[in-house]
Structure formats: C-alpha cells, structure tokens
Amino acid sequence: MSEPHELGWHRMGGTPREIGRALGLAGREAVHRHLPGSEYFRAMTGPAHAEAVARMAEATRARFPAIWDEIEGLAEGLQMPVETVFAWNCRGDLLARVPDGCTTIMVPGEAPVPAHNEDGLPFFRGACFIAEVAAPDAPAFRAFCYPGSIPGHTFAFNAAGLAQTVNNLRLTGVEPDIPRMVLGRAVIGSQSLDQALAVLEAGAGSGGFHFALSSTADRRILSVEFGAGEVSAVEVETPSAHANHALHHRGGLSAQIVTESSRDRQARADALLAEGLDPLAILRDEGGGGLPIRRDAADDPDDENTLGTAILRLTSDGIRWSIHDRRTGPAAYSGTGF
C-alpha cells in the first residue's frame, strides 16, 4: 500500500464567509493543538500589536470586504475570535523575523516554470492542505494552505491561468497599513498578470513578500518584491532563484534581515542553476557547504521545514502542475488546468 499523503485536499465553495468557514474547519484541530503554545502566535495576538492590528483590520474591511468576510468565516470555522485570527494573519507585517522561508526557482521560456518549496513551521507537517476553491465572482483556484491562514501567501494557481509563488521578505522598520497576506489573497483572485500586479501597486504598505507571477495568456515571469510602500517588478529573462530575501527592492536592500539559511539557499540554488539542474532537483537538493535548500532538520535555525513543493509549467494548453509532499518519490497530486 502507498503511504498516505502528508498534504490533504479540501474542496470548498460558496460565499466568502462559507469558504472561510470551510478553511477553518479544515485546520481547526491543528490550530488548537499547536498555536496556543507557539511563541510566535502569542506574540502576534498579544496587546503589543493591538493598535496596528486594528488599523489593518479597518483597512481590510474598507478595501477588501469579501476577504474580510472570508476571515470572519475562518474564525467561525476555527472557533476563535476574529481579532485573534486576523492578528495571526498579520504575522509577517508585525514581526520581520517570522518562520516563513521558502525557495522559488523561475525558468522563463515558451512554457515558463515557477517552482517552489513551501517552508514553514515544522509542527504543521501533515496538517497543511491544498484548498480547491470555487468562488462566485473570481476564478476558481488551488492553493497550499496552512491551518488558520487564508490562501494566497504560499503557492497557488487559478482557472484564469495565473500562477503565483510567494516568499517571505524580512523587511525591517515597516509600519503596515494592510496585511501582505490579504494582498496575496487578492492576487490569486486576479484574471491576468497585469491585474495581479495592479493589486500590489494600488497599495503595498505591508510587510514584505516576493511573488513569482506568470500566466498562461502572458507567459512572462515577473519577480515582484513588495512591502513598506514599495513595489519592484522585474521580468525574469534567465533561469533565476529567490531564497526569501530582497534582491531588487530598494528599501529591502538597505533594511532587511537575511538569515544564514536564506543566504546559503540563494547561493546553492544559483550554483545548481548554472549547472543546468531542473527545478525539482534543485528544490530537493540537500547538498552544498551551508544550510540546505530542502529543509527537514528538527533544529533548523529559522524554525522552518519544507512542507510542500510545487512545479508549475505554464503552457498554451493550461498549467501543468505537480505538488510533492515528500523529499523523494512521485508527486502527491498532478494534473493540467482545472
């Protein structure tokens, strides 16, 4: 018999509140088992950040009312106060050094490939899932989801042919106006690459993220670093890597935290790309002289492990995708389009 998948798969749809409630139900057990004892969770939901959280909640309700409804539904499904759930979804805006790492490989061409390791809190291994979401007023999408979090800040792709992968940027000195995860959720509802970029350019007063964005209709790959009120978008013209620190965001280059793991993964991925390795081999690599790209160590210095890997190939026929939940072996899930 084959081993069970480490990544679940949940289908959901309906109103934003109903989608949020389904997301909450899917993650409720893991959230209540792990988050109350987490120092990160206690820090995000404590009184020190209450004023900033209230400010971002007001901005989210005004600018993205449907996403706010989804967050309220998420809180209902989790059986937790919405203020607490929203604060947790602001974690990267409130604290530069949170456990969100990740590595992205970007290969441009006729069939561009954004590929991605999703690295997060090790205690969520086995509890994360792919959400297949049918929304009433936006393209259906599939996204990697952490328990207790809205979609759109990991890897995702939608029925309009848009693909996104997301890396943490540890920008310092940010006074956030809106959560970066809310912006990510809005992006995956976009119909095109230009519309996705416009979402970010309309207001990036948030914590820092890097998005690799591409679409079947456009087939550029854009490397987009945003946060602290700035958006830097660069078209990727040669195979490139991004290991969760700013490479072209002007503010980030002068005010960011670059961890040892982030620096080592960038150097190793760049070297493997120069050797011509394919994206999956790079993302599964455990070699090199420093900390590895594929992360499974219980004592990882950033408190992160690789919880999922996505290979997204954008063709004229749709997105050919595979999602891997183990360090070796075949994909857990794969397909073309929707």
Side-chain angles (χ1 to χ4, degrees):
M1 294 180 64
S2 61
E3 294 183 83
H5 295 318
E6 290 186 351
L7 280 174
W9 190 291
H10 294 276
R11 294 180 175 88
M12 58 195 71
T15 66
R17 186 178 292 269
E18 289 168 339
I19 291 167
R21 191 178 299 117
L23 289 166
L25 288 170
R28 180 195 295 172
E29 192 276 334
V31 163
H32 286 274
R33 176 160 32 103
H34 294 297
L35 285 188
S38 165
E39 62 177 297
Y40 300 109
F41 183 77
R42 291 195 300 269
M44 295 307 100
T45 58
H49 299 294
E51 183 177 342
V53 169
R55 183 176 65 250
M56 286 188 282
E58 182 178 357
T60 300
R61 286 191 294 266
R63 184 175 169 193
F64 299 107
I67 297 177
W68 179 259
D69 287 348
E70 187 173 290
I71 292 168
E72 287 192 324
L74 177 63
E76 290 175 8
L78 291 170
Q79 296 182 339
M80 298 177 73
V82 67
E83 297 82 6
T84 300
V85 172
F86 181 74
W88 178 239
N89 280 264
C90 297
R91 53 191 180 271
D93 308 281
L94 302 172
L95 189 68
R97 191 153 189 164
V98 290
D100 296 312
C102 309
T103 304
T104 295
I105 304 298
M106 299 166 283
V107 182
E110 183 62 24
V113 178
H116 183 78
N117 271 356
E118 182 57 37
D119 299 341
L121 285 162
F123 58 56
F124 275 145
R125 185 180 299 280
C128 299
F129 56 93
I130 305 300
E132 182 176 340
V133 179
D137 300 317
F141 66 85
R142 293 170 177 153
F144 180 104
C145 287
Y146 288 98
S149 297
I150 57 175
H153 66 107
T154 56
F155 60 79
F157 55 97
N158 72 20
L162 181 76
Q164 71 182 62
T165 68
V166 187
N167 288 343
N168 181 29
L169 301 182
R170 296 183 170 98
L171 304 184
T172 58
V174 176
E175 295 184 8
D177 298 318
I178 197 151
R180 63 185 191 172
M181 287 170 59
V182 168
L183 294 174
R185 177 65 183 87
V187 164
I188 200 55
S190 299
Q191 296 279 356
S192 68
L193 198 58
D194 288 340
Q195 184 182 353
L197 189 59
V199 168
L200 303 177
E201 291 176 336
S206 66
F209 264 155
H210 169 266
F211 283 6
L213 294 173
S214 192
S215 78
T216 55
D218 190 310
R219 280 183 279 171
R220 291 174 293 163
I221 298 181
L222 296 182
S223 170
V224 184
E225 296 179 344
F226 72 91
E230 178 185 339
V231 179
S232 175
V234 175
E235 183 173 352
V236 176
E237 297 182 341
T238 59
S240 304
H242 195 285
N244 84 279
H245 58 270
L247 300 177
H248 49 82
H249 182 289
R250 290 171 300 175
L253 292 174
S254 61
Q256 68 172 327
I257 298 169
V258 182
T259 68
E260 182 181 0
S261 169
S262 183
R263 186 178 293 107
D264 288 349
R265 284 181 286 116
Q266 186 71 49
R268 179 65 173 169
D270 288 343
L272 295 176
L273 280 170
E275 294 176 13
L277 267 68
D278 69 85
L280 181 59
I282 294 172
L283 292 173
R284 284 179 161 176
D285 181 75
E286 298 174 286
L291 293 163
I293 293 173
R294 168 77 199 194
R295 311 169 74 182
D296 293 299
D299 60 349
D300 181 273
D302 294 342
D303 199 17
E304 297 162 10
N305 278 184
T306 301
L307 305 179
T309 299
I311 311 296
L312 309 175
R313 184 178 298 274
L314 283 76
T315 75
S316 57
D317 298 323
I319 299 176
R320 297 178 188 172
W321 54 271
S322 62
I323 298 171
H324 304 255
D325 60 354
R326 299 183 188 278
R327 56 187 291 272
T328 61
Y333 309 104
S334 60
T336 300
F338 274 74

